[in-house]
């Protein structure tokens, strides 16, 4: 089976394909080349390290968008049980690019909410590539309010290139839908735990993308603008998205350093799609421990603490600026 | 996608008109709305609004405050707050240089001007975003000052008024900028819970992260005539959907028709309308 690979992965994939072919040879011939196979395996191991151990920001963006990367639906299946999906904004339609509902996290009753990206073309078309319209955010607000009303911790999954840019989206108030979703999230009395699992595309991600704990998968990104958008605006398109990704500071480690996220969940070499079950297990561990901590802290002060956390994000100076040359 | 593509265009237009204004004895200004040459003195008397076609020229934060509040009543707060360039961002040029240049052309340390003022003798808190300072974009300073003015209004139990003209989040500050959307919106939630009035004025243009946060969370949203207001920029939308946009798309009039704003008010009447609204909503 031909598998999807980015340019920087091609040499590795070629070696791996060769190895597969060698292994498929008749057993008699195989003995003759046993040493070759062994050598090739070593080479592959080394090349894998070289290819994946120091990913650039842009390579991480590519992994975040990888078609085989586990999506929200995969994590819902792997982490929760007894999911009851809820639908609709009660005004216009059901936007399936955002989904959510009741679920159990082990014995804990919770509410889950997230961007839905498809695992194939059919799902992607049905779910609009994870790009919500205003009704998606209004459904999100409904789900947040239900969580608050029934005292269920809110667990969100962020994976969107951004909110959908379209005529209908503007007519129906894309901006205010996102703004209201952000405002609702800020004042919930229940614990809010966010996991950025793929793309954290701008305001469309932020609408469900901040909380008491923000967890990020190692090769996901969270950015004020897509690298492509940034390149085309700031450099008039002359500079590649690759360089924009570097300067935007959108990787998990950079965002941890800036205090915007709280935890990073490691991924196996080559990205989460190489060991989805392991990544889901590790992510679940983080979510559970965050929830335990937040519950121990007591519900009363959560919204206040969340406010203080937001309040502390901002790098500015108030002294008079030194004169510039 | 927080930043509209008009950004580049507007910036160019701005430099062009700035260059024109710099011409010695430049007493005429060409109206982008109707191409008429307008006598600047008369234009200024008319709050920088074209008397022929009603085009609202962009105005500075200072001029805006002068227009909306009682003469001499404005007391500016946090005027020295400035960006720390947290990412040491370098685009075509260094962000630090863009900040310096914007500071020189506007006389401001960043895009937001905030403070206490009176409107027809009534105490208010006001925050104004100046488009000329890096497209009125919201980074840590704008986010912090808008948050503080909303908090101050909450504490002092006075109405808060914001006037926006902004391309959205300031991408040169990366995720710190995006988080300002959450910070300002959270401040509005508390102000609103305290039962206090918030009026948001949207001037040309207001898009992206500012429309998708505090600016559309007000009790009352007022737009200036023909102002461009939206989330995504028109070019981004056109490229995505691959069809032509309706002629009046994302104008104030379009937004009024689609139920996104309460009213469109001429600049000359803005103070009077705000004053009447506060009278209903204030204690
Ligand atoms: Zn005109």
């Amino acid at each position: 089976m031909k598998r999807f690979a980015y340019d920087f992965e091609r040499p590795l994939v070629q070696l791996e394909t060769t190895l597969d072919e060698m292994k498929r040879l008749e057993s008699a011939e195989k003995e003759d080349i046993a040493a070759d196979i062994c050598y090739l395996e070593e080479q592959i191991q080394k090349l894998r390290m070289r290819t994946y151990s120091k990913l650039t920001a842009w390579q991480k963006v590519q992994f975040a968008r990888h078609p085989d990367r586990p999506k929200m639906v995969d994590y819902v299946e792997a982490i929760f049980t007894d999911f009851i999906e809820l639908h609709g904004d009660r005004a216009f339609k059901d936007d399936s690019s955002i989904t959510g509902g009741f679920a159990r996290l082990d014995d804990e009753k919770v509410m889950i909410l997230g961007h839905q990206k498809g695992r194939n073309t059919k799902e992607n078309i049905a779910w609009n590539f994870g790009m919500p319209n205003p009704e998606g955010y209004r459904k999100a607000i409904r789900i947040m309010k239900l969580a608050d009303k029934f005292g269920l911790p809110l667990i969100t999954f962020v994976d969107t290139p951004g909110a959908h840019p379209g005529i209908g989206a503007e007519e129906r108030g894309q901006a205010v839908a996102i703004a209201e979703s952000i405002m609702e999230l800020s004042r919930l009395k229940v614990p809010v735990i966010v996991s950025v699992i793929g793309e954290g595309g701008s305001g469309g991600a932020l609408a469900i993308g901040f909380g008491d704990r923000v967890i990020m998968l190692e090769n996901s990104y969270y950015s004020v603008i897509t690298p492509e958008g940034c390149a085309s605006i700031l450099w008039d398109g002359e500079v590649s998205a690759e360089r924009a990704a570097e300067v935007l500071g959108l990787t998990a480690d950079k965002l941890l350093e800036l205090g915007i996220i709280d935890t990073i969940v490691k991924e196996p070499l080559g990205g989460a799609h190489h060991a989805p079950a392991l990544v889901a297990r590790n992510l679940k561990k983080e979510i559970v421990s965050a929830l335990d901590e937040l519950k121990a802290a007591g519900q009363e002060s959560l919204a206040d603490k969340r406010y203080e956390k937001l309040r502390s994000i901002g790098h500015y100076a108030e002294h008079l600026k030194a004169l510039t040359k | 996608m927080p930043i509209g593509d008009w950004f580049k265009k507007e910036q160019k237009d701005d430099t062009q008109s700035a260059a024109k204004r710099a011409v010695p004895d430049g007493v005429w200004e060409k109206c982008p709305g109707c191409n008429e040459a307008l006598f600047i003195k008369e234009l200024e008397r008319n709050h920088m609004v074209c008397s022929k076609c009603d085009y609202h020229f962009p105005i500075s934060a200072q001029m805006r405050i002068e227009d909306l509040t009682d003469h001499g009543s404005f007391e500016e707060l946090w005027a020295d707050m400035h960006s720390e360039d947290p990412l040491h961002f370098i685009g075509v040029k260094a962000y630090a240089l863009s900040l310096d240049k914007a500071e020189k052309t506007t006389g401001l340390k960043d895009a937001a001007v905030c403070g206490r003022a009176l409107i027809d003798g009534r105490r208010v808190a006001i925050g104004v975003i100046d488009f000329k300072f890096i497209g009125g974009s919201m980074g840590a300073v704008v986010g912090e000052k808008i948050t503080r003015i909303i908090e101050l209004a909450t504490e002092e139990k006075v109405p808060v008024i914001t006037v926006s003209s902004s391309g959205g989040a300031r991408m040169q500050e990366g995720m710190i900028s995006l988080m300002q959307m959450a910070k300002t919106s959270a401040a509005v939630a508390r102000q609103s819970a305290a039962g206090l009035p918030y009026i948001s004025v949207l001037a040309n243009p207001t898009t992206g992260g500012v429309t998708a946060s505090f600016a559309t969370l007000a009790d009352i949203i007022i737009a200036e005539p023909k102002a461009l207001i939206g989330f995504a920029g028109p070019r981004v939308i056109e490229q995505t959907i691959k069809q032509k946009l309706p002629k009046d798309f994302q104008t104030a009039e379009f937004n009024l028709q689609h139920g996104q704003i309460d009213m469109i008010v001429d600049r000359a009447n803005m103070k009077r309308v705000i004053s009447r609204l506060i009278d209903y909503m204030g204690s």
Side-chain angles (χ1 to χ4, degrees):
Chain A
M1 199 183 82
K2 204 162 172 281
R3 58 175 237 241
F4 180 91
Y6 289 112
D7 281 345
F8 73 94
E9 301 177 282
R10 292 253 156 78
L12 178 65
V13 171
Q14 264 165 21
L15 280 195
E16 284 172 344
T17 313
T18 311
L19 180 68
D20 283 348
E21 279 163 9
M22 284 166 84
K23 281 180 169 173
R24 267 202 304 272
L25 290 173
E26 294 298 316
S27 50
E29 292 170 302
K30 224 183 202 164
E31 261 165 49
D32 297 341
I33 57 166
D36 292 345
I37 289 182
C38 195
Y39 175 76
L40 194 54
E41 276 173 341
E42 256 171 51
Q43 291 308 305
I44 286 174
Q45 202 45 42
K46 278 185 198 155
L47 185 58
R48 186 176 290 136
M49 282 299 290
R50 265 211 308 281
T51 308
Y52 294 134
S53 59
K54 277 199 191 107
L55 294 175
T56 65
W58 176 242
Q59 286 168 343
K60 287 183 177 180
V61 170
Q62 288 179 300
F63 271 170
R65 295 170 174 171
H66 198 292
D68 299 335
R69 190 173 178 81
K71 307 294 192 291
M72 181 196 177
V73 340
D74 301 304
Y75 291 113
V76 171
E77 278 169 21
I79 297 177
F80 303 92
T81 54
D82 194 30
F83 175 44
I84 303 178
E85 186 176 355
L86 304 174
H87 294 277
D89 69 338
R90 300 294 187 268
F92 184 67
K93 70 182 283 191
D94 183 48
D95 180 349
S96 42
S97 63
I98 281 193
T99 188
F102 301 101
R104 271 191 164 76
L105 176 63
D106 296 331
D107 298 330
E108 195 77 38
K109 291 175 207 165
V110 299
M111 189 69 94
I112 56 181
L113 175 65
H115 300 105
Q116 284 231 93
K117 264 200 195 172
R119 292 163 294 191
N120 50 53
T121 311
K122 200 179 147 210
E123 280 180 354
N124 261 326
I125 289 169
W127 300 344
N128 199 32
F129 300 85
M131 298 192 295
N133 274 284
E135 42 280 10
Y137 295 111
R138 291 181 176 126
K139 175 163 79 179
I141 294 170
R142 271 194 62 222
I143 288 173
M144 290 176 198
K145 285 185 168 162
L146 281 173
D148 214 38
K149 180 171 177 182
F150 299 107
L152 303 172
L154 182 72
I155 318 279
T156 78
F157 294 89
V158 173
D159 191 10
T160 179
H164 180 74
I167 295 176
E170 297 290 323
E171 287 174 341
R172 299 192 298 278
Q174 186 72 292
V176 68
I178 292 172
E180 286 177 346
S181 185
I182 292 172
M183 183 160 81
E184 198 57 49
L185 194 54
S186 80
R187 62 186 172 200
L188 295 179
K189 294 185 293 294
V190 294
V192 178
I193 299 166
V194 176
S195 301
V196 183
I197 55 171
E199 294 191 83
S202 186
L206 183 73
I208 61 166
F210 68 95
D212 306 309
R213 291 288 184 282
V214 181
I215 304 164
M216 241 177 119
L217 294 191
E218 188 183 2
N219 299 322
S220 53
Y221 80 87
Y222 204 169
S223 182
V224 65
I225 184 170
T226 60
E228 289 88 345
C230 176
S232 90
I233 292 171
L234 278 192
W235 284 280
D236 245 335
E238 278 162 34
V239 152
S240 66
E242 196 168 344
R243 204 169 132 209
E246 213 60 59
V247 296
L248 278 168
L250 44 67
T251 59
D253 46 357
K254 182 69 189 173
L255 295 173
L256 185 69
E257 184 193 313
L258 288 171
I260 285 164
I261 65 160
D262 304 293
T263 319
I264 299 174
V265 170
K266 287 273 188 197
E267 293 183 32
L269 276 188
H273 54 290
H274 284 264
L278 174 75
V279 174
R281 244 190 339 267
N282 291 341
L283 180 57
K284 181 178 178 177
K285 225 179 281 169
E286 285 300 335
I287 293 173
V288 168
S289 92
L291 187 55
D292 286 345
E293 270 175 49
L294 292 168
K295 272 171 43 198
Q299 205 133 309
E300 285 312 301
S301 54
L302 275 176
D304 287 343
K305 279 191 185 145
R306 199 177 310 130
Y307 188 77
E308 289 314 314
K309 196 172 173 224
L310 286 176
R311 218 45 208 84
S312 71
I313 299 175
H315 293 58
Y316 52 85
E318 289 192 82
H319 53 268
L320 277 172
K321 204 180 195 172
L323 284 176
T324 42
K325 317 109 257 175
Chain B
M1 272 141 272
I3 312 285
D5 33 275
W6 50 267
F7 189 95
K8 243 185 312 186
K9 197 172 127 264
E10 289 286 335
Q11 292 253 310
K12 271 179 202 145
D13 289 349
D14 261 12
T15 22
Q16 277 163 11
S17 51
K20 220 180 298 160
R21 249 175 265 131
V23 171
D25 305 319
V27 287
W28 301 92
E29 174 94 44
K30 198 169 138 193
C31 173
C34 65
N35 283 326
E36 284 278 331
L38 305 170
F39 190 43
I40 284 182
K41 279 268 163 56
E42 197 192 305
L43 192 56
E44 278 169 0
R45 261 198 303 278
N46 203 28
H47 309 265
M48 298 300 287
V49 175
C50 174
S51 52
K52 309 277 191 307
C53 75
D54 203 32
Y55 176 82
H56 283 54
F57 284 79
I59 58 173
S60 69
Q62 293 94 325
M63 207 185 276
R64 181 77 66 181
I65 288 163
E66 193 53 42
D67 250 15
L68 291 182
T69 61
D70 298 353
H71 182 69
S73 72
F74 182 65
E75 173 204 338
E76 189 176 357
L77 297 162
W78 320 300
D80 289 328
M81 197 188 295
H82 58 269
S83 173
E84 281 190 318
D85 185 12
L87 300 180
H88 309 291
F89 191 97
I90 297 182
V92 170
K93 58 180 176 183
Y95 173 44
L97 291 178
S98 308
L99 287 167
D100 280 353
K101 194 180 151 228
E103 186 177 335
K104 278 179 191 118
T105 49
T106 61
L108 303 173
K109 297 271 193 301
D110 211 306
V113 178
C114 299
R116 295 185 184 92
L118 300 174
I119 293 181
D120 292 337
R122 237 180 248 272
R123 291 171 57 219
V124 298
I126 184 167
V128 178
I129 298 182
D130 196 317
F131 190 75
K132 287 233 159 60
F133 197 104
I134 315 188
S137 54
M138 174 162 68
V141 174
V142 171
E144 179 68 18
K145 285 174 88 166
I146 293 292
T147 302
R148 284 191 190 181
I149 199 67
I150 296 167
E151 286 176 341
L152 179 124
T154 315
E155 223 163 89
E156 299 187 354
K157 298 185 171 54
V158 298
V160 65
I161 294 144
T162 61
V163 185
S164 304
S165 51
S166 167
R170 185 174 295 169
M171 66 188 113
Q172 295 92 330
E173 293 184 20
M175 274 301 287
I176 292 168
S177 296
L178 196 75
M179 293 309 293
Q180 304 309 311
M181 293 168 65
K183 193 162 94 178
T184 53
S185 301
V188 175
R190 296 182 150 210
Q191 190 264 357
S192 183
L196 296 161
Y198 171 23
I199 297 170
S200 171
V201 177
L202 309 179
N204 186 46
T206 309
T207 61
V210 167
T211 39
S213 66
F214 69 92
T216 55
L217 293 173
D219 298 304
I220 308 291
I221 304 175
I222 308 176
E224 285 199 335
K226 298 189 181 78
L228 176 79
I229 299 159
F231 177 65
R235 203 180 59 180
V236 171
I237 297 174
E238 217 160 38
Q239 280 168 356
T240 310
I241 63 172
K242 295 181 176 63
Q243 63 187 80
K244 272 209 101 36
L245 300 172
K247 209 175 96 248
D248 71 336
F249 187 58
Q250 293 183 317
T251 58
E253 294 72 17
F254 171 96
N255 276 283
L256 183 67
Q257 190 199 333
H258 289 285
Q260 302 304 326
I261 58 175
D262 287 287
M263 59 189 92
I264 297 172
V265 176
D266 263 334
R267 198 172 282 163
N269 291 314
M270 191 67 82
K271 182 181 178 185
R272 202 167 334 140
V273 171
I274 290 175
S275 179
R276 283 168 58 208
L277 285 167
I278 292 172
D279 187 46
Y280 278 105
M281 299 190 294
S283 51

